[in-house]
Every structure is written in structure tokens, then in C-alpha cells.
Amino acid sequence: MNLQSNDFEIFGLNPLFALDRAALDARWKDLQREAHPDRFATADAQAQRQAMQWSVRINEAYQRLKDPLKRAAYLCELHGAPIEAENNTAMPKAFLMQQMQWREELEEADSLADLERMADEVAAARRTMLQELQTTADDLRDWPALAQQVRALMFVERFARDVESRVDLLGQ
């Protein structure tokens, strides 16, 4: 194995957004078994260090590939379309209006039922956006468009966490 390989190469996967999560999990366990530092406890210092590096690299790759948002962002980076979320916050007007409406509804929500309705709506929007990510990445292979979709999904996921926090506060 080569530490410089991309995440998909490490796992022996095609660089696609769609992936079989069970196969990814199984491959991760296999790779961890092969590279786990405990297997090299009696080896020399260099072999122990390499095993530790591999174990860390495998875990980093797994964390990126198992999360749809991180996986999409990684695909963008691999294809020369970095996300640059901190510098590029431009979004379509309709998307920004939706975000403003959700924020207002969250501020006005005063019951658990209101918050649960919002959580359901945001979850449905997230599912739709994930389907769009897959189409853009795997079918269209439009990396700049995918980068914009990733930035939009980052907004939605942040909002979903805010709704969840409000649910937690109301539940106390």
C-alpha cells in the first residue's frame, strides 16, 4: 500500500459518490486488521511506525468515504474543484430565501411539534440534495456544480444541527 494513494485507491473503490456502505465497512475492517499496530508489537521501530501511519491513514480515508458530505467534498478536491466554503458563500437566491425562512421559523418555534416538523422538512431536503449530489458527481461529473451543491448541503446540515439543539433545549 502507498500512503500517497487517494482514499478510493486505498479501499480499492472506483472514485464515485455512490458506494456500498457495507462493502466499505467490511474493507475497513480488513485493512485495519492488516495494518493494526498491535500486529507489529514485536517488529522493529520502523515497522511499528509504518503500521501506525497506515492505521491512521486508513481511518482518515474511512471517515471521509463513509460520510456523504465529506465524500462529495473529497471528490471535488480530487477533480480540481475545492469547496472553499470559508471563501465562497455565494448561493442561488432561492436557496438563500429558503435558509432565511427556515431561520425565522426556528426562531419562532415554541413547541416540540414545530421543531419536529422542521426536522422532518430539513431531513427531506437533505435526502433530495444527496440524490442530486450523486447525479452531479457520478452521471454529470460536473465538479464545479458539485462543489456548489456541497456548500449548500453544508448550510443545510448546520441548520439541522441547530434544530436538533433547539429540540434538546425544549426537552430539558
Side-chain angles (χ1 to χ4, degrees):
M1 287 196 269
N2 180 352
L3 285 172
Q4 304 306 315
S5 297
N6 73 47
D7 295 355
F8 293 97
E9 292 168 344
I10 288 171
F11 279 81
L13 299 170
N14 289 325
L16 298 171
F17 180 79
L19 59 76
D20 179 345
R21 178 61 193 268
L24 176 69
D25 292 348
R27 182 69 179 134
W28 173 71
K29 289 176 185 174
D30 290 343
L31 289 170
Q32 277 301 331
R33 247 189 312 279
E34 291 174 26
H36 198 279
D38 289 350
R39 291 193 62 213
F40 297 85
T42 59
D44 63 30
Q46 181 180 354
Q48 289 177 3
R49 187 175 56 256
Q50 286 177 331
M52 180 61 74
Q53 289 173 332
W54 262 111
S55 185
V56 168
R57 180 68 180 96
I58 290 164
N59 282 327
E60 288 173 347
Y62 177 68
Q63 292 304 316
R64 245 187 315 269
L65 293 178
K66 77 174 188 172
D67 180 282
L69 183 60
K70 290 178 184 177
R71 184 170 60 250
Y74 186 64
L75 281 166
C76 288
E77 290 173 23
L78 286 177
H79 292 93
I83 302 304
E84 299 176 332
E86 59 281 349
N87 299 327
N88 186 347
T89 57
M91 293 287 154
K93 184 177 179 177
F95 178 80
L96 293 174
M97 295 300 289
Q98 176 66 61
Q99 292 296 301
M100 287 175 28
Q101 179 183 347
W102 279 352
R103 289 283 169 198
E104 289 173 10
E105 289 176 16
L106 182 58
E107 285 181 26
E108 296 170 2
D110 57 1
S111 72
L112 191 56
D114 289 342
L115 293 171
E116 288 174 345
R117 180 194 50 75
M118 289 185 73
D120 290 344
E121 183 179 336
V122 172
R126 181 180 186 275
R127 283 190 299 276
T128 299
M129 292 175 86
L130 287 171
Q131 290 170 345
E132 292 169 355
L133 287 177
Q134 182 174 338
T135 299
T136 302
D138 296 348
D139 298 340
L140 303 176
R141 302 183 64 76
D142 183 344
W143 310 116
L146 183 65
Q148 182 168 350
Q149 290 173 328
V150 167
R151 287 189 296 272
L153 185 55
M154 291 169 74
F155 274 89
V156 171
E157 290 202 349
R158 189 174 315 120
F159 182 74
R161 288 190 301 272
D162 293 347
V163 172
E164 187 175 317
S165 293
R166 282 288 307 277
V167 168
D168 290 345
L169 283 175
L170 247 129
Q172 293 179 357

